[in-house]
Amino acid sequence: MSERAALLKGIRVWLVFFVVCLVLSGVTAFPLVHELRWTEEVLRSLGAPDHLPGLMEWIERVRDGLDTADADHPFLLYGTDWLAFAHLVIAVAFLGPYRDPVRNVWVVEFGLIACAGVVPLALICGPIRGIPFWWSVIDMAFGVFGAVPLYVVRKKIKRLEALAEAAVPAGPAAPAP
């Protein structure tokens, strides 16, 4: 396998991994009420209230808030539907780098910027919304871990670009004046 083919394969594998994670993150935002009830049940069955009381208190608080919103103001949950949709739309954008990585490296760079933006968002909006700091750290981890495959992809794309430039034969020399 040529170096170009190996780079292209590596780029595509990392992009598929990133897109799958982005899609999973998105689709899990649709059934929040049911997911949180299920999560609470699972945590209780595992004995989490005894070992992680802070986590259980937070899960119960969020579940209670979602139950109330779902019962009294279900239109509020429409915002999380749009969040889910945004994840899916962003995932589609990564088809560009999958097809032509060098030409569409900007999509990967956009993704890196978005991942970096998760950190200040969590640090600023988390306290404003009453989110526990440890939960904001979990949110920030999504940005950090999302940046890892994109960073690897960008490096591989830049190497692929350098290979392509090196393969282009030099044109005729300009005549001397």
Side-chain angles (χ1 to χ4, degrees):
M1 178 182 296
S2 70
E3 184 177 1
R4 181 187 184 290
L7 283 168
L8 197 54
K9 181 179 179 180
I11 289 166
R12 289 179 172 163
V13 166
W14 279 106
L15 284 172
V16 166
F17 172 73
F18 181 79
V19 166
V20 166
C21 291
L22 194 57
V23 167
L24 288 175
S25 180
V27 297
T28 60
F30 284 116
L32 282 180
V33 174
H34 303 292
E35 284 174 340
L36 209 49
R37 287 180 190 152
W38 176 81
T39 300
E40 186 179 13
E41 289 173 19
V42 169
L43 288 173
R44 285 190 187 290
S45 72
L46 295 173
D50 298 330
H51 304 293
L52 300 166
L55 173 64
M56 284 308 298
E57 288 171 15
W58 175 246
I59 294 293
E60 290 166 1
R61 181 175 179 212
V62 174
R63 192 240 336 118
D64 184 48
L66 283 173
D67 283 346
T68 300
D70 191 37
D72 299 341
H73 310 288
F75 55 87
L76 291 174
L77 297 176
Y78 190 53
T80 61
D81 296 338
W82 279 104
L83 169 70
F85 178 71
H87 278 75
L88 302 177
V89 169
I90 293 167
V92 171
F94 284 90
L95 291 175
Y98 185 91
R99 292 175 61 191
D100 188 346
V102 173
R103 185 175 183 186
N104 293 294
V105 68
W106 69 270
V107 175
V108 174
E109 291 167 345
F110 162 81
L112 282 165
I113 293 166
C115 286
V118 169
V119 175
L121 178 80
L123 289 173
I124 294 166
C125 294
I128 291 171
R129 302 290 185 205
I131 306 298
F133 180 73
W134 59 267
W135 193 265
S136 292
V137 171
I138 292 170
D139 289 339
M140 288 184 278
F142 280 95
V144 172
F145 291 127
V148 170
L150 294 179
Y151 177 76
V152 170
V153 166
R154 186 179 184 285
K155 282 185 69 172
K156 289 181 179 294
I157 290 173
K158 290 301 181 180
R159 179 69 187 128
L160 186 64
E161 182 179 37
L163 277 177
E165 289 172 0
V168 174

